Amino acid sequence: MPTQTDFSVSVIPGERTGVINRKRAPFSWGWVWASFAGFMVFQVLLAHFATPYVTQGYQTQHFRFLVEGGITLAAYYLGGFLTGFISPKVRLMEPAVAAGLAMFAALSVGWFTPSFWYQFGLAKFLLGGGVAASLAYAGAFSAERLTGSVSEDEF
């Protein structure tokens, strides 16, 4: 079902011609921090539900790392989805920025850890932050599509 949106086209000589979606809100740091909190809440909730299955019996450390990684990735998607669902206007970039900040916070632990494996690295930040931001953006886009705020071609 198509949605009604106001579109305006700028055709002033010397200016780029573009289509502007008026449903998009200006960037909001408040929604960035709300998204950041959403990631944390989903990580805690998912870990709470996964703990009984991970702690029963014998599992390898590798399995626990896989579960932790899956919980973290799912939390980025679900946190972005929650932000896109509850925000009154279209919010796609805020969850992505929040995911980058969350990755920065997670990797900053390496500044205080003597172990080589936990050290902060630009490549780790760019790769992890890119994956986290992509998942958060995809979650927000999915929610905005579900609510009818954006169309498929606005991806």
Side-chain angles (χ1 to χ4, degrees), residues 46-114:
L46 292 172
H48 175 73
F49 291 119
T51 299
Y53 301 106
V54 175
T55 57
Q56 289 178 352
Y58 174 77
Q59 285 90 18
T60 63
Q61 189 68 29
H62 180 71
F63 176 73
R64 290 188 183 133
F65 285 147
L66 287 174
V67 171
E68 284 180 33
I71 286 171
T72 303
L73 294 175
Y76 286 125
Y77 180 84
L78 293 172
F81 187 90
L82 180 67
T83 301
F85 191 76
I86 65 173
S87 64
K89 292 199 175 195
V90 176
R91 300 278 178 201
L92 296 175
M93 291 308 297
E94 286 84 349
V97 171
L101 289 173
M103 282 303 300
F104 184 77
L107 290 175
S108 68
V109 171
W111 294 333
F112 309 106
T113 308

Side-chain angles (χ1 to χ4, degrees), residues 31-48:
W31 283 104
V32 169
W33 295 116
S35 299
F36 189 91
F39 301 147
M40 300 302 122
V41 167
F42 275 114
Q43 283 186 13
V44 169
L45 288 175
L46 292 172
H48 175 73

Side-chain angles (χ1 to χ4, degrees), residues 8 16 47 49 69 80 86 96 107 115-116 130:
S8 66
R16 289 179 51 189
F49 291 119
I86 65 173
L107 290 175
S115 175
F116 171 76

